[in-house]
Amino acid sequence: MNLEHYISQLLYRYQCVTIPGFGAFLTDIQSAQWHEASNGFYPPKKLISFNSFLKNNDGLLANHVAQNEKISYETAVLSIENEIANWKNELQSANKKSFKGIGEFNLNAEKNIVFTPYEQVNYLASSFGLSNLIAPSIKREVIEHVFENVKEEEVIQLVSDRNIGRTYLKYAALIVLSLSCSGIMGIKLYQDKVASDTLIVEKAVQQKVQSTIQEATFVISNPLPSVTLSLKEENRPYHIVAGSFRLEKNAQKVFKRLTRKGFKAKRLAPNANGLFPVLYGSFSTLQEAERIKSDIQKSENPNVWILIEEF
């Protein structure tokens, strides 16, 4: 049985994948990044970490194995236990264990498990198809224009008759004066034309508005009865799980305790394993659920996790 492959499948869909008797893989969403040094753009992704203290069987992995291997739940649990025993033996003998596409486990000097995640696989489903992009830096070239020295030539002076020059000046003055008068009169006529056209347009618009208002003013003698619309309840597929209990009375106790503390607690129907789940609450977006989960881990319960309802 390729247990590593089933773990990889679950990491695409869930925030926490627990391996009974071994530990749990936890994921956290990292937003898109830009590295200035390398001019690299990196899409959003899931950061994977490992917690060796979360070892209780929540049924997620075993149920997934049972469905894919077409075996019973109990047989799947036994198969997982045997696989984990082999992992532990491999760690003790070689001091390391690699999970394809996930990461590598090593034993330190104190014989504690140290996990190093791989970066090749992005388990964030919304970033499927997005790859890293390295953009080359833009180099701006400064083009210098070199002008050759122009050799100065000797200036040729034109000598004209004084009387001819004076006659030309008189005609030029008359032409300038005529153009100035024409320009002033033309500007005046243009301004009057614009004002007249504007007034005509304003009157037409005002008449159109009055006509529309008169046509829209009427009284309904027999109004239709009012219609009551029922709004569909907002979909909240992201659940913060407080725990799953074998006895329903224990689940009810936890539900009442969370309600007294102010949480919008919920109870779900028994799952396929006969356990009664209790929720801190349900949320419409993953970002909101992540924020509430982080607050609960700090102040209430460090072992909470997010269940994403399939839809």
Side-chain angles (χ1 to χ4, degrees):
M1 179 179 61
N2 190 358
L3 190 59
E4 301 172 15
H5 175 67
Y6 294 135
I7 295 172
S8 296
Q9 291 179 342
L10 293 174
L11 286 175
Y12 280 106
R13 299 164 54 188
Y14 299 97
Q15 301 296 114
C16 176
V17 179
T18 303
I19 306 172
F22 189 75
F25 288 104
L26 306 175
T27 63
D28 189 20
I29 297 178
Q30 175 182 278
S31 59
Q33 301 288 321
W34 173 59
H35 293 171
E36 183 177 1
S38 61
N39 289 323
F41 294 87
Y42 301 90
K45 65 178 181 179
K46 277 186 178 181
L47 299 178
I48 301 177
S49 59
F50 183 77
N51 189 333
S52 60
F53 297 101
L54 299 178
K55 300 181 180 181
N56 294 332
N57 183 16
D58 59 0
L60 178 64
L61 180 60
N63 187 54
H64 185 70
V65 171
Q67 291 179 355
N68 286 272
E69 295 287 336
K70 308 299 182 183
I71 57 178
S72 64
Y73 177 82
E74 291 75 13
T75 304
V77 172
L78 293 176
S79 300
I80 293 173
E81 291 178 354
N82 294 333
E83 188 72 15
I84 293 172
N86 295 333
W87 292 354
K88 291 181 178 180
N89 293 333
E90 185 175 349
L91 274 173
Q92 293 295 331
S93 59
N95 287 333
K96 69 177 182 178
K97 168 64 180 175
S98 298
F99 282 49
K100 183 179 180 181
I102 301 176
E104 183 178 274
F105 291 94
N106 293 278
L107 292 180
N108 57 16
E110 291 78 17
K111 296 300 180 180
N112 294 323
I113 296 178
V114 178
F115 175 70
T116 304
Y118 293 152
E119 301 291 338
Q120 291 84 354
V121 179
N122 188 352
Y123 287 97
L124 185 61
S126 59
S127 294
F128 178 79
L130 299 178
S131 59
N132 301 336
L133 174 63
I134 305 299
S137 59
I138 300 175
K139 296 182 180 180
R140 294 179 172 84
E141 298 181 355
V142 179
I143 301 177
E144 297 182 356
H145 296 279
V146 179
F147 298 94
E148 297 180 355
N149 295 329
V150 179
K151 184 178 181 181
E152 296 183 357
E153 300 291 343
E154 183 179 356
V155 179
I156 301 175
Q157 296 182 354
L158 299 177
V159 180
S160 60
D161 186 77
R162 181 179 298 178
N163 294 328
I164 296 176
R166 290 181 179 178
T167 302
Y168 287 157
L169 290 176
K170 290 179 182 180
Y171 284 115
L174 289 175
I175 293 172
V176 171
L177 181 60
S178 299
L179 291 176
S180 300
C181 294
S182 299
I184 295 173
M185 294 178 65
I187 293 173
K188 177 62 176 172
L189 292 174
Y190 175 74
Q191 291 177 347
D192 293 341
K193 178 64 175 174
V194 172
S196 176
D197 293 344
T198 303
L199 181 60
I200 293 173
V201 173
E202 289 179 351
K203 288 182 179 180
V205 172
Q206 186 174 5
Q207 291 176 358
K208 183 66 176 177
V209 172
Q210 293 296 332
S211 176
T212 303
I213 293 175
Q214 291 175 3
E215 293 176 359
T217 305
F218 56 91
V219 178
I220 301 175
S221 58
N222 296 318
L224 295 174
S226 60
V227 179
T228 302
L229 299 178
S230 59
L231 298 178
K232 185 179 180 180
E233 185 179 356
E234 183 180 4
N235 187 24
R236 299 175 181 270
Y238 303 98
H239 311 295
I240 300 181
V241 180
S244 299
F245 304 90
R246 182 69 63 182
L247 299 178
E248 185 177 6
K249 64 178 182 180
N250 294 337
Q252 184 65 19
K253 290 180 181 179
V254 175
F255 168 76
K256 291 182 178 180
R257 179 170 58 83
L258 296 181
T259 303
R260 288 194 299 269
K261 288 187 176 183
F263 293 102
K264 296 181 180 180
K266 290 183 178 181
R267 283 188 52 190
L268 298 181
N271 56 26
N273 305 317
L275 302 178
F276 296 89
V278 180
L279 311 178
Y280 279 95
S282 301
F283 304 90
S284 58
T285 63
L286 180 59
Q287 289 77 9
E288 183 182 8
E290 285 286 351
R291 179 175 57 80
I292 299 300
K293 183 196 75 172
S294 178
D295 295 340
I296 295 175
Q297 287 177 334
K298 294 178 182 178
S299 60
E300 178 77 14
N301 183 0
N303 296 327
V304 298
W305 55 282
I306 296 178
L307 171 64
I308 302 177
E309 181 180 350
E310 297 183 3
F311 55 88

